[in-house]
Amino acid sequence: MASLKPLFVCCLAFGWVFSQFLPIRYFISSGFVGQAIPVALIALPALLLAVVGIYLFVRPARIPTLLAFGTLFFTMIVGLAGLFLFQGLAIYSVNSSVHMGGKGAGVVLILRAVGWAYQSINSSSVIHQFFGFIFGVGLCEEMTKLLPLFFLLLFKGNRPIGIDYRGFLIVGFSSGLGFGIGEALYCYAPWSGNVVTGANVIRWFACVPAHGIYATTDAAILWLLAPKLREFEGFYQKLGIFALAAFAVAIVHGTYNVLSNSQWIGIAIDAATIVLMYYVVKFVDNRSSRQQLQDEAHSEYSPGFQKWIHGYETGQRRLKRLYLFAATMILVSQVFSSSEEKLQQLQSRGLEGLEGTDVSSSSSEPTYSIAELQNAARDVERRARLEREQMKNPTPEMVRRVAEESAAQIERAMRGQSTSQGSNTLNRANDYGSGAGVPLAPETQDVRKRFDADGRYAVPQPSQRTYDHR
């Protein structure tokens, strides 16, 4: 196990530093297709660099290619879907009066504990936020990434699992990478509101590989605890080992989410995470028995892929070329972005249809939320570009309908009922402010401090750099 340089270059040099020198532009002007192209241009070199980086660090004898790709897609699709369902059940259980006996009582207790943790995310107390992000977001997401590896160890019993320790780490990294890709596409892509170009570079070069690095560390700890997992027979005992394997990284994950509003903190935590992975992986490598380390692989492999990536280890392929490719793709992606002036023009055009329209209710307070009208206008404008003939002039009804949907989503988010999706929507609303205010729930009265006496919201400059949660 050797070089960490490619991972440092990917996460820190490209993800955090290079992105700061990009002009402030936005992926908003060409509809879904026009947004998907720059995302692909950014994601491809980021993923290649991350995969090469973990390979040069772990240096497996053979790569379990099919198992790695299967794990990636399992976590990206099934894992994320299961996590969203679990989050919904956990938050629902907090206000539910359901009582169960036996093992069911333990399940309900776990759900309520996780639900309380998720609700603590929106607390004004930093201590409560740490609790929420560590025991809610961090622990649940790390266990989601470990789930396929847990199944692999659990159902194999005492039989060889088909891969050695280093192969197990590669599978863990693939699971984390799948989680990061799915999260980026579902919650943080331009079509989900993350339209700032620099933020997309940070997402793909720093956040997505970081999920893989987290999962690699989780996998090393789970490998160390594997004998205990096979020894215990009870459901809650095995679940405890599973949670313990993810807990150390959950602390790092939660800490990042609480403190992720600063570039320098992001750099420091990502650097510390890579160093932590190095020492944990080396420690488990030294503690593992020879029998574990020589557990010969029986999975199917891809000699072609193995040969291609092995070229970076032997020097047949140079990393400098990969770095240059990454920088070039990022710069090419800027062709699909718009300036701040263009953004404001689009927003103004989208809001023209609202003039003369009554958007307030019979009460003295306005009906719609801060940024929903602005965000709705952007959504309508986006649709208008896709269907120029049919929607050349968006009607006020169209804007109102989208605004209502967006307002409801943010209200749910602020009440803690849709944390993962809603936090991103709320960030998007804060970035693109302007419009009438909305009566908020008591839990969210702090948001109203941003209104003036007339219920209007001061239009801020769009955030130049955003450091989203993981």
Side-chain angles (χ1 to χ4, degrees), residues 39-83:
V39 167
L41 293 174
I42 294 173
L44 177 60
L47 297 178
L48 285 177
L49 190 53
V51 169
V52 170
I54 198 65
Y55 174 81
L56 292 180
F57 168 61
V58 174
R59 296 184 185 275
R62 304 176 77 183
I63 300 177
T65 308
L66 295 182
L67 183 58
F69 275 103
T71 302
L72 185 150
F73 285 107
F74 175 87
T75 305
M76 183 172 69
I77 300 172
V78 179
L80 272 175
L83 176 62

Side-chain angles (χ1 to χ4, degrees), residues 234-270:
F235 169 77
Y236 290 109
Q237 290 176 314
K238 292 182 181 295
L239 184 63
I241 294 295
F242 182 32
L244 183 62
F247 184 67
V249 178
I251 296 176
V252 178
H253 191 156
T255 301
Y256 172 89
N257 281 347
V258 175
L259 304 176
S260 61
N261 60 343
S262 166
Q263 171 196 0
W264 299 110
I265 291 177
I267 291 175
I269 294 179
D270 276 356

